[in-house]
Amino acid sequence: MEHQLAPYACRSSESRGRLVAEPDSATRSVFQRDRDRILHSSAFRRLKHKTQVFVYHEGDHYRTRLTHSLEVAQIARSLARSLTLNEDLAEALALAHDLGHPPFGHAGEEELDKVMAAHEGFDHNAQTIRIVTHLEHRYAAFEGLNLSWETLEGLAKHNGPLVGHPIDRSNPPGHLPFAMRAYLTDNDLELHSWPSAEAQAAAIADDVAYNNHDIDDGLRAGLFSLEDLAVVPMVRETLETISLDWPDISLPIKIHELVRRLIGRMTADILQHSRDNLADLAPRSPQDIRECGRMLIGFSPEMKAEVDTLREFLFANMYRHRLVLRTTSKAKRVVRDLFALYMSEPELLPPEWAAIATGPDTPQTARAVADFIAGMTDRYAIRDHRKLLDITAFPI
């Protein structure tokens, strides 16, 4: 089916390959194998119990990192199909984009970065690279998942270049996250160039998914009402059209109708704006996309302004809501307490992690502890905190 792709789409047959060479599959393309390895990874399964906004015990119907990733993959695949890009690559990138998130979402990441400040910090995007290239142990022939160059490239820089010019990989810039610098010694991901069109599609699909499902979850949680949300012009206009079409529908159906229409409105804008960009540039290869100097797949300026207004509303009324902040505060304490305990007593780590540690308060121990905590689900972290720090919690 590659003959149906745009000339600037990434093709499996032209992949730059894997760090460890493998025979081709008789039934799957390079990017299909990448997608399947991601789906079968332990890190992907753990997303089921990692926070998006609400911690797992707060309700069964709120999004988790897993359901979010599935929604991003659906939107990314639809965008790729409409733009005649490689759907399999876009899907693989969407499914893997949040693998590096620690428990408790951005609150967990902020706290882990803070406690790791003396040891080169923590970044969830770079941690995704670390997971798929080093921490997953499933194959006899290599560490990690041995994904294709194009998938690794897309995971590393889906939001744009990380450096301004080609770098000396033996001495990468200090501002790059630790995990990214560590991997560059093995593989040049060309961090100075722009991401592939498929990576750009996955990145903007992430924006569409989380903005809209945060509306859904926030409304269902009672953090704000439709009347509150109507201060956002795009939402108010959409609600008015729903009232005209379906004046007597129930609130749950009205919420779903709002979310589906907003997703449709945003994706239609992305497709039109991206087609205009691609027509102006007329790229003839994936490399033309990487060297064009800007993102081509994304919102129009007008839609971006609308989405920014929506984000401002969600930040003020959801992410900074008192009930969310109360959970966030507790989540940060869990991460902070576990890190401090394991740093001072690394022998309490599971044996495979304790074997990596080099004693209390060393940089190598800090990275082992950060990797271990980052891999935890919300419920594992809460349970581990209770077992280790609640003196009444016996037996261990």
Side-chain angles (χ1 to χ4, degrees):
M1 303 294 286
E2 287 193 349
H3 66 280
Q4 297 178 352
L5 298 179
Y8 43 81
C10 292
R11 287 164 165 74
S12 285
S13 62
E14 298 172 1
S15 172
R16 301 193 197 183
R18 307 179 188 278
L19 191 61
V20 179
E22 299 181 58
D24 290 339
S25 168
T27 57
R28 294 172 296 163
S29 73
V30 169
F31 303 142
Q32 287 171 343
R33 289 181 83 183
D34 285 355
R35 176 203 59 205
D36 295 348
R37 288 180 179 185
I38 291 161
L39 281 170
H40 287 279
S41 68
S42 298
F44 186 77
R45 290 195 299 278
R46 288 196 296 269
L47 295 179
K48 177 182 179 182
H49 292 294
K50 289 197 177 191
T51 290
Q52 185 66 26
V53 174
F54 297 97
V55 178
Y56 81 95
H57 65 277
E58 294 179 295
D60 291 337
H61 295 283
Y62 299 122
R63 269 69 171 191
T64 65
R65 287 286 163 189
L66 179 64
T67 57
H68 164 68
S69 296
L70 294 173
E71 291 178 10
V72 175
Q74 180 270 314
I75 296 169
R77 193 164 191 120
S78 294
L79 292 173
R81 182 182 304 117
S82 296
L83 295 170
T84 58
L85 303 174
N86 194 306
E87 294 180 41
D88 296 323
L89 177 57
E91 182 182 27
L93 292 168
L95 291 171
H97 81 282
D98 269 353
L99 292 182
H101 264 289
F104 312 120
H106 289 291
E109 179 179 13
E110 289 172 11
E111 193 61 29
L112 200 50
D113 184 43
K114 182 178 178 180
V115 296
M116 283 290 289
H119 305 286
E120 304 189 76
F122 179 89
D123 175 87
H124 84 266
N125 283 322
Q127 190 70 9
T128 295
I129 294 292
R130 186 164 172 79
I131 286 169
V132 300
T133 62
H134 176 64
L135 294 178
E136 279 283 328
H137 296 291
R138 304 179 63 80
Y139 299 92
F142 45 78
E143 287 186 330
L145 304 181
N146 199 34
L147 302 177
S148 69
W149 185 90
E150 290 77 11
T151 298
L152 292 173
E153 176 216 23
L155 292 174
K157 59 182 185 184
H158 55 274
N159 289 319
L162 301 185
V163 294
H165 51 77
I167 61 176
D168 175 5
R169 291 192 295 120
S170 65
N171 185 30
H175 74 270
L176 289 175
F178 164 82
M180 202 72 72
R181 296 201 317 276
Y183 185 67
L184 287 179
T185 60
D186 294 326
N187 200 359
D188 184 2
L189 298 179
E190 298 180 3
L191 300 183
H192 63 283
S193 65
W194 291 79
S196 66
E198 288 82 2
Q200 294 181 39
I204 198 64
D206 185 25
D207 286 1
V208 173
Y210 81 72
N211 279 298
N212 284 288
H213 64 48
D214 284 356
I215 290 175
D216 193 8
D217 285 350
L219 286 167
R220 294 181 188 280
L223 301 184
F224 50 84
S225 67
L226 284 176
E227 290 72 23
D228 297 328
L229 192 59
V231 301
V232 180
M234 176 174 57
V235 174
R236 182 172 62 253
E237 294 165 9
T238 306
L239 287 171
E240 288 170 355
T241 63
I242 293 171
S243 295
L244 289 173
D245 294 341
W246 304 100
D248 300 319
I249 56 174
S250 66
L251 180 60
I253 293 177
K254 192 171 188 178
I255 291 172
H256 178 70
E257 193 67 23
L258 170 66
V259 171
R260 67 181 287 269
R261 292 191 186 199
L262 288 175
I263 291 174
R265 186 168 174 172
M266 289 182 190
T267 53
D269 176 85
I270 293 166
L271 291 173
Q272 184 58 58
H273 184 63
S274 301
R275 287 177 179 134
D276 291 344
N277 285 340
L278 292 164
D280 289 342
L281 181 67
R284 301 305 303 168
S285 70
Q287 200 59 25
D288 286 348
I289 300 287
R290 295 186 179 101
E291 295 174 357
C292 74
R294 61 190 176 100
M295 297 288 266
L296 298 174
I297 314 300
F299 294 127
S300 67
E302 296 78 15
M303 179 57 73
K304 184 179 184 305
E306 295 267 23
V307 172
D308 286 345
T309 301
L310 173 59
R311 284 174 176 159
E312 290 170 5
F313 175 89
L314 291 172
F315 185 82
N317 295 276
M318 185 173 184
Y319 312 138
R320 303 298 297 174
H321 192 284
R322 180 182 67 89
L323 296 178
V324 174
L325 291 178
R326 284 165 64 93
T327 302
T328 294
S329 177
K330 288 194 288 186
K332 288 184 174 182
R333 286 200 300 275
V334 169
V335 171
R336 183 166 61 247
D337 291 348
L338 286 176
F339 184 86
L341 179 63
Y342 283 129
M343 276 291 281
S344 62
E345 301 180 66
E347 64 273 13
L348 298 180
L349 289 163
E352 64 273 23
W353 292 98
I356 302 171
T358 55
D361 302 317
T362 68
Q364 186 168 332
T365 296
R367 187 56 57 183
V369 172
D371 286 341
F372 177 53
I373 292 176
M376 292 179 175
T377 61
D378 294 0
R379 65 180 183 178
Y380 184 100
I382 292 168
R383 191 162 58 236
D384 209 36
H385 186 271
R386 183 179 297 120
K387 287 194 299 184
L388 290 169
L389 290 154
D390 180 355
I391 199 65
T392 66
F394 288 100
I396 292 178

